Amino acid sequence: MKQLLYFFLIASCGIALAQESSNAYDLKVAVTRAGDRFQVNASYEVPITICEAFAFITDYEGAKNLPGVVDSKVLSRSGNKVKVARSLEERILFIPFEMRSELEYVEIPNRALLFEQLSGDTKYYKGSWRLFSEKEFTAFKYDAKIEPNSLVPSVVIEFFIKNILRRQFESMAEAALLKRSVPPKTCR
């Protein structure tokens, strides 16, 4: 069950069984299954600049303010590569589950953030955040492949994915909008 929770939260960040839309941020979340792995696709739009959006997704330590993220600490930075240790916690049926991971991020300024799990509680986690500038907003697109390290049946995993990760992406969109009131120094 511990690995199941990690799978839900690592997306620090989304999944539903069918593509859905939320009016507030045009939030869409979808999942498909290929063998033991899940392909996660999500997107949302926030009325901020692309520079503000990139600053938001690369605020690794600020991720502690997102639901389920207990700790997020930069371990090292070398050029455009950043290693981050992250601890997550979620309550499922009143039972707390904790997950830990070490991720490597590759930053492509104002365009993308590529990531891969180096160690942690899932067998496989790799993906990207891509940013697209539109007239009055920035579109965030998240794509990842995740393979949980769990003996929990896939049907149960899909149920929790549907109910937890959509809420997390919506929280991320709201947090990105709140950050707009204080633009990062790099965007001024």
Side-chain angles (χ1 to χ4, degrees), residues 6 11 14-15 18 28 40 54 67 97 99 115 128 157 179 181:
Y6 180 73
I15 304 178
K28 296 177 180 82
V40 180
F54 188 73
F97 293 94
M99 300 292 148
F115 58 86
S128 68
I157 291 173
K179 284 262 186 178
S181 63

Side-chain angles (χ1 to χ4, degrees), residues 10-187:
I10 191 82
S12 329
C13 312
I15 304 178
L17 295 175
Q19 192 163 349
E20 299 176 17
S21 177
S22 171
N23 291 336
Y25 303 102
D26 194 23
L27 175 63
K28 296 177 180 82
V29 185
V31 64
T32 55
R33 209 164 112 197
D36 293 336
R37 291 189 179 167
F38 291 88
Q39 174 66 46
V40 180
N41 302 99
S43 65
Y44 58 85
E45 300 171 349
V46 181
I48 60 177
T49 68
I50 202 155
C51 182
E52 292 167 328
F54 188 73
F56 174 74
I57 63 172
T58 57
D59 183 8
Y60 308 106
E61 295 189 357
K64 292 180 273 197
N65 298 318
L66 296 172
V69 180
V70 175
D71 194 27
S72 185
K73 185 181 296 185
V74 173
L75 299 175
S76 67
R77 183 180 294 272
S78 177
N80 69 335
K81 291 185 179 184
V82 183
K83 287 185 184 173
V84 176
R86 194 159 280 166
S87 298
L88 310 163
E89 182 179 287
E90 185 70 43
R91 290 189 176 275
I92 299 177
L93 303 174
F94 303 107
I95 301 169
F97 293 94
E98 293 183 20
M99 300 292 148
R100 299 188 189 286
S101 66
E102 184 176 313
L103 301 161
E104 180 176 70
Y105 292 91
V106 177
E107 301 174 345
I108 304 169
N110 298 330
R111 292 186 36 218
L113 182 63
L114 312 176
F115 58 86
E116 182 171 5
Q117 177 182 276
L118 301 175
S119 63
D121 293 329
T122 61
K123 288 183 183 178
Y124 184 86
Y125 178 55
K126 184 176 183 176
S128 68
W129 281 100
R130 302 215 182 264
L131 302 173
F132 299 93
S133 182
E134 303 294 334
K135 286 183 181 180
E136 297 179 15
F137 60 86
T138 297
F140 292 72
K141 298 203 185 273
Y142 171 89
D143 297 298
K145 288 188 180 179
I146 305 168
E147 183 177 348
N149 187 14
S150 176
L151 298 175
V152 176
S154 294
V155 173
V156 175
I157 291 173
E158 289 176 349
F159 173 79
F160 284 108
I161 289 170
K162 181 178 181 181
N163 291 296
I164 292 175
L165 294 178
R166 181 173 180 75
R167 172 184 52 117
Q168 290 178 334
F169 277 117
E170 191 162 25
S171 293
M172 288 183 71
E174 290 170 0
L177 183 60
L178 290 174
K179 284 262 186 178
R180 179 183 193 184
S181 63
V182 183
K185 293 178 185 176
T186 56
C187 298

